[in-house]
Amino acid sequence: MAAKITPEQCLAFTAPTEDFLCPLTANTYGLEFYRFTIRDLETSAVVFDMERSAEDFKKFNEMIPHLTEDQKKRSRSIHYRFPSNFLTRKAIGAKLVFGVNGDKPVPNFRMIERHYFRNTLVKSFDFKFSFCIPHSTNTWESIYDVPNLSPEWLKAIQESPFETVSDSFYFVNDELIMHNKAYYAYDGKDL
């Protein structure tokens, strides 16, 4: 059995992980993400909005035992394509609607998100949501300060689609229950 991954270890990573640090079955609380919206705080322009139903997750959870390892990995990764000037914004808002579909309460829910470009840490976030009751739907909105990047880094990131990577680690009482990855391109039409 693999060693327990702690929040402190995740906060010390200097590059994206090569693989996922927990299996899909580690989510014994039945946490599911129903909607994720990203908006520019200056203009309120919505840059990304994705929604899934509880029924979608029920069907997916029934399929997990039949998925190949490659399909499991793909189900935990997302590729974002953002406007080319997205990284010049001062702040963005990220709104997450999630459900607790299990019978257990979720104490000390924590998300650690680490963003890297070419294996260099660009930004790290650490969010805490103290408690969620079983069979509930919850909304979590976070404000992200966009990192201040040099003109050289901005150009390199914009010219290198999907070389910017993030790891999102989700903990309950310091136990890793979910790990997702995202890949970013900043080459779309400007806001």
Side-chain angles (χ1 to χ4, degrees), residues 162-182:
F162 305 116
E163 285 188 50
T164 303
V165 180
S166 69
D167 281 301
S168 296
F169 306 99
Y170 302 90
F171 292 88
V172 174
N173 274 343
D174 291 339
E175 177 186 349
L176 183 64
I177 65 157
M178 292 169 51
H179 175 197
N180 296 323
K181 289 185 165 290

Side-chain angles (χ1 to χ4, degrees), residues 38-40 43 45-48 80-89 92 154 157-158 184-191:
I38 299 173
R39 64 188 172 89
D40 173 15
T43 65
V46 173
V47 182
F48 181 82
Y80 293 108
R81 180 158 259 127
F82 290 126
S84 58
N85 67 346
F86 187 77
L87 291 172
T88 62
R89 311 322 276 175
I92 59 168
L154 277 173
I157 290 171
Q158 290 167 342
Y184 305 83
Y186 299 94
D187 57 1
K189 183 178 176 185
D190 283 351
L191 292 171

